[in-house]
Amino acid sequence: MRLTNQEAFEKYASEAQERWTSKFGGDRWVINVGISECSKAKGALDTWSNLQLHLDNSGLDYELHQVGCAGWCFAEPFIEVFAPDSPGIVFQNVVTDLVPELVQAFKTGDFPVEHAMGVRGDESFKGIAPLNEHPFLKGQHRLLFKRAGEIDPDSIEEYIANGGYAGFVKALLQMTPEEIVHEVKESNVRGRGGAGFPAGIKWESGRRTQAWPKYVVANSHEGEPNVFKDRRLIESDPHLVLEGLMIACVALETPHGYNYIGGEHVLALARFQHAVDQAYELGLLGDNVLGTGKSFHMRVRSGGGAYICGEGSALMYAIMGERGQPRTKPPRSVEEGVWRRPTVLNNTETYAAVPSIINNGGSWYASIGTEQSKGTKLVTIQGPVARIGVAEVDMGYSLRSLIEDIYGGAKEGYTLKGIQMGGVSAGPLRMDQLDVGIDFESLEEVGAMLGSGGFVAFDESICAVDFARYLTQFNRYESCAKCTPCRLGNKALLEIVDKVRNGQSPNEVAALIEATSENIIDLSLCGLGQVAPMPLLGMMKAFPDEFEAHFRDGTCPQGQCPVSQPKLRLEPVAAD
Amino acid sequence: MAHGAPASEIDLQPLRTILEDRYNPENYQDSLELIVQACQEAQHLYGYVPKAATEAIAEHLGVSTNRIFGLLTFYADFLTDEPGEHTMLLCHGTACYVGGSQKLVDHLDLRYDVTSGKTTRDGTLTVQIVNGCLGVCDLAPVAQLDHHDYCGHLTVESFEGLMDTLRSESKAATVEDSDETD
């Protein structure tokens, strides 16, 4: 079906809404199973087929649906059960072995409290507390993740039934491109990839450039070793990102949109491509969209596993089928980007915020967050904490509260030592430094960095020197080798750290590290090199005693570095 | 998904069909944009990107094989050598590091002389160390075997157990021509 005008879209939307509300009424059991990359890894597909088997045998009248991931990785695989005349109940860690027990209980009208995570709505139900009061969700403010885990990511109809594409239709039919840019500017939404550049200003300069064609590109590369927010967002609600991109196309008056997704995000790639296909089918993409005479086209491009391709100019070279190596700036990408044409490039999360800005107005969005950092931020945390997952909090939310309340503090048997901030581009914060807000300015003040919102908790058993070596090694490996300071400087830095780890610190090693770092920071061409030594310098600042022990005594207090290992013996593979 | 098809047995027909179905560039610009994805299709089909496949892609898209090799050697996802019987993506993201993946990386290097992209000497396993993140941090340290099975909370011991299983499977498969397993 192809929608040819606004009335047709509105008719489709209201029908979709009706179908959505009638889905949960009646005498049928509706069961949603969260299927995403992380739940698949934990056996969600087995849960799915076992549910099917047992529900078939139980004689219950049921429907099984796929939904995306809701950010609660710790609770995967999860199912949500809508019994007749009951609110939705989320059950956590429903591994396939648990299915028979659960189905048996459902048959007798019983909902096992011990496996339940919570119930939708504000009131308790049969002893199960509301989901919103679950410690993981209580402090969160879900704007982008609003639909995640509730709708089928492969269904454009369910997205539209829940208010989807209303922002695109409004932008296309009721607003001038200038008005769209004005709203985005007023919202002051800033680049979520880490740089924090205001998106509205970028869009405005994109409009001002007089060269055609222009391109709109989403950066969903997400190659950092500790972030998975964009991937989960696309896996759970691909149309939200697509809608944001399409609104940017309307604002820039260009038909050309791209989404560059990292090649390792297999499911996200497939779901986004599917979303694009559905939008074409419905006539939201293509030529003469909704009878306006305007065209919008979207291309999905995938990367090949190079971290550097998350850098703006490298990403554009990657799209153009070249080795993804950055170039000097200016010209900036809004002047010369993909195919040397004006290109507006934003992070996936930035685009995902746009539909709600158009629907509710820029000033509404600007009322969320702090003075200078607006809106909500998706954050992910990894390491030994009680609950791992993607959380969405207001900018300025306390980091301590995030770690201790939402993520539940240290996992049993672990004592946290610090939090590595800003991916691989900044230093860590010690546990006594956590009383700081999560926003661009506050974190910069304490010498950390918001980055793309990936935090890694590490415990007392981790040696700061070894961890710093890991982070330096990552940057060295991922250096694209185009400019010498980054290619050779990081290698030199790694060699120094390796000597330290082996208990053979050269004289004045701290000064040597600082001087080498300074050269790399000052002389490198792109953002990767300019921040590559930061984790090492940050670690040195945060844990000076540990570094001192390595430098002076040649010992590793944590016993992790080679200096304290028993002599390694080589054992060749036994021939058989 | 086939793994480790020897170079002489590469059947290019499936690749050609995919290329003809879905890779139809309108101009040279489009051709360039499609190279990486076309190579991913080839890797998906054969487990690596054989030389014959790059030639087929070059011919279909109208680009040079040099350019394709330039990309294959830059992007870490691609294998240009024939992989072993199994392929493992070993996650070495920060969460996995905190969980102890460095021990696995060192173990692979010391015991099997295997670094990223290389194959064990008996041809059982090719390891690709993923510097990014597999995104299943709840299972850290984690590896993905043959692109669908996840092995979570890996230790050196559980990795050795996995290797034993893989080796005994391959031995069972080649029991008849046992002369070849030296």
PDB file of all heavy atoms in Angstrom, chain A residues 37-65:
ATOM      1  N   GLU A  37      20.105  -8.706  19.677  1.00  0.00           N
ATOM      2  CA  GLU A  37      21.370  -9.450  19.627  1.00  0.00           C
ATOM      3  C   GLU A  37      21.740 -10.006  21.000  1.00  0.00           C
ATOM      4  O   GLU A  37      22.175 -11.144  21.126  1.00  0.00           O
ATOM      5  CB  GLU A  37      22.471  -8.516  19.109  1.00  0.00           C
ATOM      6  CG  GLU A  37      23.696  -9.221  18.577  1.00  0.00           C
ATOM      7  CD  GLU A  37      23.434 -10.031  17.311  1.00  0.00           C
ATOM      8  OE1 GLU A  37      23.021  -9.472  16.288  1.00  0.00           O
ATOM      9  OE2 GLU A  37      23.645 -11.255  17.368  1.00  0.00           O
ATOM     10  N   CYS A  38      21.518  -9.205  22.057  1.00  0.00           N
ATOM     11  CA  CYS A  38      21.945  -9.673  23.384  1.00  0.00           C
ATOM     12  C   CYS A  38      21.018 -10.753  23.916  1.00  0.00           C
ATOM     13  O   CYS A  38      21.463 -11.678  24.593  1.00  0.00           O
ATOM     14  CB  CYS A  38      22.079  -8.509  24.362  1.00  0.00           C
ATOM     15  SG  CYS A  38      20.581  -7.594  24.643  1.00  0.00           S
ATOM     16  N   SER A  39      19.720 -10.650  23.613  1.00  0.00           N
ATOM     17  CA  SER A  39      18.840 -11.694  24.132  1.00  0.00           C
ATOM     18  C   SER A  39      19.013 -12.983  23.330  1.00  0.00           C
ATOM     19  O   SER A  39      18.892 -14.083  23.863  1.00  0.00           O
ATOM     20  CB  SER A  39      17.389 -11.236  24.123  1.00  0.00           C
ATOM     21  OG  SER A  39      16.934 -11.062  22.815  1.00  0.00           O
ATOM     22  N   LYS A  40      19.342 -12.839  22.046  1.00  0.00           N
ATOM     23  CA  LYS A  40      19.616 -14.036  21.239  1.00  0.00           C
ATOM     24  C   LYS A  40      20.825 -14.775  21.802  1.00  0.00           C
ATOM     25  O   LYS A  40      20.850 -15.990  21.879  1.00  0.00           O
ATOM     26  CB  LYS A  40      19.887 -13.651  19.786  1.00  0.00           C
ATOM     27  CG  LYS A  40      18.634 -13.555  18.944  1.00  0.00           C
ATOM     28  CD  LYS A  40      18.887 -12.777  17.686  1.00  0.00           C
ATOM     29  CE  LYS A  40      19.155 -13.652  16.489  1.00  0.00           C
ATOM     30  NZ  LYS A  40      19.315 -12.810  15.280  1.00  0.00           N
ATOM     31  N   ALA A  41      21.834 -13.974  22.213  1.00  0.00           N
ATOM     32  CA  ALA A  41      23.031 -14.587  22.780  1.00  0.00           C
ATOM     33  C   ALA A  41      22.695 -15.339  24.052  1.00  0.00           C
ATOM     34  O   ALA A  41      23.364 -16.300  24.419  1.00  0.00           O
ATOM     35  CB  ALA A  41      24.073 -13.514  23.068  1.00  0.00           C
ATOM     36  N   LYS A  42      21.655 -14.893  24.738  1.00  0.00           N
ATOM     37  CA  LYS A  42      21.281 -15.566  25.977  1.00  0.00           C
ATOM     38  C   LYS A  42      20.139 -16.555  25.777  1.00  0.00           C
ATOM     39  O   LYS A  42      19.503 -16.978  26.742  1.00  0.00           O
ATOM     40  CB  LYS A  42      20.928 -14.523  27.034  1.00  0.00           C
ATOM     41  CG  LYS A  42      22.162 -13.763  27.513  1.00  0.00           C
ATOM     42  CD  LYS A  42      21.820 -12.663  28.470  1.00  0.00           C
ATOM     43  CE  LYS A  42      21.725 -13.139  29.900  1.00  0.00           C
ATOM     44  NZ  LYS A  42      21.505 -12.013  30.834  1.00  0.00           N
ATOM     45  N   GLY A  43      19.856 -16.900  24.539  1.00  0.00           N
ATOM     46  CA  GLY A  43      18.937 -18.010  24.273  1.00  0.00           C
ATOM     47  C   GLY A  43      17.486 -17.633  24.065  1.00  0.00           C
ATOM     48  O   GLY A  43      16.591 -18.445  24.284  1.00  0.00           O
ATOM     49  N   ALA A  44      17.216 -16.388  23.626  1.00  0.00           N
ATOM     50  CA  ALA A  44      15.822 -15.971  23.465  1.00  0.00           C
ATOM     51  C   ALA A  44      15.092 -16.770  22.386  1.00  0.00           C
ATOM     52  O   ALA A  44      13.892 -16.996  22.486  1.00  0.00           O
ATOM     53  CB  ALA A  44      15.753 -14.486  23.138  1.00  0.00           C
ATOM     54  N   LEU A  45      15.849 -17.232  21.358  1.00  0.00           N
ATOM     55  CA  LEU A  45      15.180 -17.973  20.289  1.00  0.00           C
ATOM     56  C   LEU A  45      14.707 -19.337  20.782  1.00  0.00           C
ATOM     57  O   LEU A  45      13.646 -19.827  20.382  1.00  0.00           O
ATOM     58  CB  LEU A  45      16.108 -18.121  19.075  1.00  0.00           C
ATOM     59  CG  LEU A  45      16.442 -16.804  18.361  1.00  0.00           C
ATOM     60  CD1 LEU A  45      17.399 -17.050  17.216  1.00  0.00           C
ATOM     61  CD2 LEU A  45      15.193 -16.099  17.870  1.00  0.00           C
ATOM     62  N   ASP A  46      15.497 -19.945  21.684  1.00  0.00           N
ATOM     63  CA  ASP A  46      15.062 -21.212  22.287  1.00  0.00           C
ATOM     64  C   ASP A  46      13.825 -20.987  23.137  1.00  0.00           C
ATOM     65  O   ASP A  46      12.883 -21.786  23.132  1.00  0.00           O
ATOM     66  CB  ASP A  46      16.179 -21.802  23.158  1.00  0.00           C
ATOM     67  CG  ASP A  46      17.387 -22.181  22.331  1.00  0.00           C
ATOM     68  OD1 ASP A  46      17.214 -22.377  21.121  1.00  0.00           O
ATOM     69  OD2 ASP A  46      18.489 -22.268  22.906  1.00  0.00           O
ATOM     70  N   THR A  47      13.848 -19.874  23.904  1.00  0.00           N
ATOM     71  CA  THR A  47      12.682 -19.538  24.716  1.00  0.00           C
ATOM     72  C   THR A  47      11.459 -19.401  23.832  1.00  0.00           C
ATOM     73  O   THR A  47      10.389 -19.926  24.140  1.00  0.00           O
ATOM     74  CB  THR A  47      12.926 -18.210  25.459  1.00  0.00           C
ATOM     75  OG1 THR A  47      14.099 -18.348  26.248  1.00  0.00           O
ATOM     76  CG2 THR A  47      11.756 -17.845  26.334  1.00  0.00           C
ATOM     77  N   TRP A  48      11.648 -18.734  22.724  1.00  0.00           N
ATOM     78  CA  TRP A  48      10.541 -18.521  21.767  1.00  0.00           C
ATOM     79  C   TRP A  48       9.947 -19.849  21.313  1.00  0.00           C
ATOM     80  O   TRP A  48       8.744 -20.070  21.405  1.00  0.00           O
ATOM     81  CB  TRP A  48      11.064 -17.709  20.592  1.00  0.00           C
ATOM     82  CG  TRP A  48      10.116 -17.570  19.441  1.00  0.00           C
ATOM     83  CD1 TRP A  48       9.843 -18.508  18.495  1.00  0.00           C
ATOM     84  CD2 TRP A  48       9.295 -16.444  19.130  1.00  0.00           C
ATOM     85  NE1 TRP A  48       8.923 -18.030  17.608  1.00  0.00           N
ATOM     86  CE2 TRP A  48       8.556 -16.760  17.969  1.00  0.00           C
ATOM     87  CE3 TRP A  48       9.107 -15.194  19.717  1.00  0.00           C
ATOM     88  CZ2 TRP A  48       7.658 -15.884  17.383  1.00  0.00           C
ATOM     89  CZ3 TRP A  48       8.215 -14.307  19.117  1.00  0.00           C
ATOM     90  CH2 TRP A  48       7.493 -14.647  17.970  1.00  0.00           C
ATOM     91  N   SER A  49      10.798 -20.758  20.859  1.00  0.00           N
ATOM     92  CA  SER A  49      10.228 -22.000  20.301  1.00  0.00           C
ATOM     93  C   SER A  49       9.659 -22.883  21.396  1.00  0.00           C
ATOM     94  O   SER A  49       8.648 -23.554  21.192  1.00  0.00           O
ATOM     95  CB  SER A  49      11.249 -22.745  19.442  1.00  0.00           C
ATOM     96  OG  SER A  49      12.503 -22.696  20.024  1.00  0.00           O
ATOM     97  N   ASN A  50      10.267 -22.838  22.573  1.00  0.00           N
ATOM     98  CA  ASN A  50       9.728 -23.642  23.664  1.00  0.00           C
ATOM     99  C   ASN A  50       8.387 -23.082  24.141  1.00  0.00           C
ATOM    100  O   ASN A  50       7.475 -23.839  24.503  1.00  0.00           O
ATOM    101  CB  ASN A  50      10.733 -23.676  24.827  1.00  0.00           C
ATOM    102  CG  ASN A  50      10.614 -24.947  25.626  1.00  0.00           C
ATOM    103  OD1 ASN A  50       9.954 -25.895  25.211  1.00  0.00           O
ATOM    104  ND2 ASN A  50      11.225 -24.950  26.792  1.00  0.00           N
ATOM    105  N   LEU A  51       8.259 -21.763  24.130  1.00  0.00           N
ATOM    106  CA  LEU A  51       6.981 -21.135  24.487  1.00  0.00           C
ATOM    107  C   LEU A  51       5.894 -21.593  23.527  1.00  0.00           C
ATOM    108  O   LEU A  51       4.785 -21.948  23.931  1.00  0.00           O
ATOM    109  CB  LEU A  51       7.107 -19.622  24.392  1.00  0.00           C
ATOM    110  CG  LEU A  51       7.403 -18.823  25.657  1.00  0.00           C
ATOM    111  CD1 LEU A  51       7.640 -17.372  25.291  1.00  0.00           C
ATOM    112  CD2 LEU A  51       6.270 -18.924  26.655  1.00  0.00           C
ATOM    113  N   GLN A  52       6.264 -21.574  22.236  1.00  0.00           N
ATOM    114  CA  GLN A  52       5.304 -21.968  21.215  1.00  0.00           C
ATOM    115  C   GLN A  52       4.804 -23.388  21.478  1.00  0.00           C
ATOM    116  O   GLN A  52       3.606 -23.648  21.482  1.00  0.00           O
ATOM    117  CB  GLN A  52       5.991 -21.905  19.859  1.00  0.00           C
ATOM    118  CG  GLN A  52       5.119 -21.403  18.773  1.00  0.00           C
ATOM    119  CD  GLN A  52       5.946 -20.947  17.580  1.00  0.00           C
ATOM    120  OE1 GLN A  52       7.126 -21.266  17.477  1.00  0.00           O
ATOM    121  NE2 GLN A  52       5.332 -20.220  16.694  1.00  0.00           N
ATOM    122  N   LEU A  53       5.765 -24.265  21.750  1.00  0.00           N
ATOM    123  CA  LEU A  53       5.442 -25.672  21.990  1.00  0.00           C
ATOM    124  C   LEU A  53       4.513 -25.829  23.188  1.00  0.00           C
ATOM    125  O   LEU A  53       3.458 -26.477  23.112  1.00  0.00           O
ATOM    126  CB  LEU A  53       6.752 -26.433  22.223  1.00  0.00           C
ATOM    127  CG  LEU A  53       6.629 -27.929  22.458  1.00  0.00           C
ATOM    128  CD1 LEU A  53       6.404 -28.605  21.121  1.00  0.00           C
ATOM    129  CD2 LEU A  53       7.887 -28.473  23.112  1.00  0.00           C
ATOM    130  N   HIS A  54       4.883 -25.211  24.300  1.00  0.00           N
ATOM    131  CA  HIS A  54       4.105 -25.414  25.520  1.00  0.00           C
ATOM    132  C   HIS A  54       2.765 -24.701  25.484  1.00  0.00           C
ATOM    133  O   HIS A  54       1.787 -25.184  26.050  1.00  0.00           O
ATOM    134  CB  HIS A  54       4.915 -24.990  26.742  1.00  0.00           C
ATOM    135  CG  HIS A  54       5.909 -26.025  27.156  1.00  0.00           C
ATOM    136  ND1 HIS A  54       7.164 -26.108  26.612  1.00  0.00           N
ATOM    137  CD2 HIS A  54       5.804 -27.060  28.028  1.00  0.00           C
ATOM    138  CE1 HIS A  54       7.796 -27.123  27.140  1.00  0.00           C
ATOM    139  NE2 HIS A  54       6.997 -27.724  28.002  1.00  0.00           N
ATOM    140  N   LEU A  55       2.721 -23.542  24.824  1.00  0.00           N
ATOM    141  CA  LEU A  55       1.438 -22.847  24.732  1.00  0.00           C
ATOM    142  C   LEU A  55       0.480 -23.607  23.833  1.00  0.00           C
ATOM    143  O   LEU A  55      -0.723 -23.662  24.089  1.00  0.00           O
ATOM    144  CB  LEU A  55       1.652 -21.424  24.227  1.00  0.00           C
ATOM    145  CG  LEU A  55       2.257 -20.468  25.250  1.00  0.00           C
ATOM    146  CD1 LEU A  55       2.755 -19.200  24.569  1.00  0.00           C
ATOM    147  CD2 LEU A  55       1.257 -20.111  26.334  1.00  0.00           C
ATOM    148  N   ASP A  56       1.038 -24.211  22.762  1.00  0.00           N
ATOM    149  CA  ASP A  56       0.196 -25.039  21.895  1.00  0.00           C
ATOM    150  C   ASP A  56      -0.434 -26.168  22.694  1.00  0.00           C
ATOM    151  O   ASP A  56      -1.618 -26.468  22.559  1.00  0.00           O
ATOM    152  CB  ASP A  56       1.033 -25.632  20.750  1.00  0.00           C
ATOM    153  CG  ASP A  56       1.193 -24.649  19.599  1.00  0.00           C
ATOM    154  OD1 ASP A  56       0.368 -23.725  19.529  1.00  0.00           O
ATOM    155  OD2 ASP A  56       2.133 -24.804  18.807  1.00  0.00           O
ATOM    156  N   ASN A  57       0.377 -26.795  23.556  1.00  0.00           N
ATOM    157  CA  ASN A  57      -0.130 -27.930  24.326  1.00  0.00           C
ATOM    158  C   ASN A  57      -1.054 -27.507  25.458  1.00  0.00           C
ATOM    159  O   ASN A  57      -1.848 -28.299  25.938  1.00  0.00           O
ATOM    160  CB  ASN A  57       1.043 -28.724  24.919  1.00  0.00           C
ATOM    161  CG  ASN A  57       1.848 -29.395  23.826  1.00  0.00           C
ATOM    162  OD1 ASN A  57       1.329 -29.603  22.722  1.00  0.00           O
ATOM    163  ND2 ASN A  57       3.094 -29.707  24.114  1.00  0.00           N
ATOM    164  N   SER A  58      -0.916 -26.262  25.885  1.00  0.00           N
ATOM    165  CA  SER A  58      -1.680 -25.839  27.054  1.00  0.00           C
ATOM    166  C   SER A  58      -3.146 -25.577  26.723  1.00  0.00           C
ATOM    167  O   SER A  58      -3.982 -25.505  27.607  1.00  0.00           O
ATOM    168  CB  SER A  58      -1.094 -24.556  27.621  1.00  0.00           C
ATOM    169  OG  SER A  58      -1.366 -23.489  26.731  1.00  0.00           O
ATOM    170  N   GLY A  59      -3.453 -25.407  25.431  1.00  0.00           N
ATOM    171  CA  GLY A  59      -4.819 -25.130  25.047  1.00  0.00           C
ATOM    172  C   GLY A  59      -5.218 -23.673  25.236  1.00  0.00           C
ATOM    173  O   GLY A  59      -6.369 -23.313  25.031  1.00  0.00           O
ATOM    174  N   LEU A  60      -4.281 -22.818  25.642  1.00  0.00           N
ATOM    175  CA  LEU A  60      -4.605 -21.401  25.771  1.00  0.00           C
ATOM    176  C   LEU A  60      -4.721 -20.786  24.381  1.00  0.00           C
ATOM    177  O   LEU A  60      -4.022 -21.188  23.457  1.00  0.00           O
ATOM    178  CB  LEU A  60      -3.510 -20.664  26.555  1.00  0.00           C
ATOM    179  CG  LEU A  60      -3.331 -21.001  28.026  1.00  0.00           C
ATOM    180  CD1 LEU A  60      -2.104 -20.293  28.577  1.00  0.00           C
ATOM    181  CD2 LEU A  60      -4.564 -20.612  28.826  1.00  0.00           C
ATOM    182  N   ASP A  61      -5.603 -19.791  24.261  1.00  0.00           N
ATOM    183  CA  ASP A  61      -5.728 -19.045  23.016  1.00  0.00           C
ATOM    184  C   ASP A  61      -4.687 -17.933  23.076  1.00  0.00           C
ATOM    185  O   ASP A  61      -4.792 -17.024  23.895  1.00  0.00           O
ATOM    186  CB  ASP A  61      -7.144 -18.465  22.940  1.00  0.00           C
ATOM    187  CG  ASP A  61      -7.379 -17.784  21.613  1.00  0.00           C
ATOM    188  OD1 ASP A  61      -6.588 -18.031  20.681  1.00  0.00           O
ATOM    189  OD2 ASP A  61      -8.343 -17.012  21.514  1.00  0.00           O
ATOM    190  N   TYR A  62      -3.636 -18.028  22.226  1.00  0.00           N
ATOM    191  CA  TYR A  62      -2.527 -17.086  22.428  1.00  0.00           C
ATOM    192  C   TYR A  62      -1.979 -16.543  21.120  1.00  0.00           C
ATOM    193  O   TYR A  62      -2.217 -17.106  20.048  1.00  0.00           O
ATOM    194  CB  TYR A  62      -1.397 -17.773  23.205  1.00  0.00           C
ATOM    195  CG  TYR A  62      -0.572 -18.701  22.334  1.00  0.00           C
ATOM    196  CD1 TYR A  62       0.626 -18.264  21.764  1.00  0.00           C
ATOM    197  CD2 TYR A  62      -1.006 -19.987  22.050  1.00  0.00           C
ATOM    198  CE1 TYR A  62       1.371 -19.093  20.945  1.00  0.00           C
ATOM    199  CE2 TYR A  62      -0.266 -20.822  21.234  1.00  0.00           C
ATOM    200  CZ  TYR A  62       0.931 -20.364  20.681  1.00  0.00           C
ATOM    201  OH  TYR A  62       1.649 -21.183  19.873  1.00  0.00           O
ATOM    202  N   GLU A  63      -1.272 -15.434  21.263  1.00  0.00           N
ATOM    203  CA  GLU A  63      -0.499 -14.890  20.148  1.00  0.00           C
ATOM    204  C   GLU A  63       0.901 -14.616  20.656  1.00  0.00           C
ATOM    205  O   GLU A  63       1.066 -14.108  21.752  1.00  0.00           O
ATOM    206  CB  GLU A  63      -1.080 -13.536  19.704  1.00  0.00           C
ATOM    207  CG  GLU A  63      -2.232 -13.603  18.764  1.00  0.00           C
ATOM    208  CD  GLU A  63      -2.813 -12.212  18.555  1.00  0.00           C
ATOM    209  OE1 GLU A  63      -2.027 -11.247  18.522  1.00  0.00           O
ATOM    210  OE2 GLU A  63      -4.042 -12.124  18.444  1.00  0.00           O
ATOM    211  N   LEU A  64       1.910 -14.956  19.844  1.00  0.00           N
ATOM    212  CA  LEU A  64       3.290 -14.720  20.228  1.00  0.00           C
ATOM    213  C   LEU A  64       3.842 -13.609  19.337  1.00  0.00           C
ATOM    214  O   LEU A  64       3.687 -13.661  18.132  1.00  0.00           O
ATOM    215  CB  LEU A  64       4.085 -16.008  20.024  1.00  0.00           C
ATOM    216  CG  LEU A  64       5.258 -16.320  20.931  1.00  0.00           C
ATOM    217  CD1 LEU A  64       4.883 -16.208  22.389  1.00  0.00           C
ATOM    218  CD2 LEU A  64       5.771 -17.718  20.646  1.00  0.00           C
ATOM    219  N   HIS A  65       4.428 -12.586  19.952  1.00  0.00           N
ATOM    220  CA  HIS A  65       4.960 -11.480  19.164  1.00  0.00           C
ATOM    221  C   HIS A  65       6.420 -11.235  19.493  1.00  0.00           C
ATOM    222  O   HIS A  65       6.854 -11.444  20.618  1.00  0.00           O
ATOM    223  CB  HIS A  65       4.181 -10.199  19.436  1.00  0.00           C
ATOM    224  CG  HIS A  65       2.790 -10.227  18.924  1.00  0.00           C
ATOM    225  ND1 HIS A  65       2.473 -10.021  17.619  1.00  0.00           N
ATOM    226  CD2 HIS A  65       1.622 -10.472  19.563  1.00  0.00           C
ATOM    227  CE1 HIS A  65       1.161 -10.126  17.457  1.00  0.00           C
ATOM    228  NE2 HIS A  65       0.625 -10.400  18.628  1.00  0.00           N
TER     229      HIS A  65
END
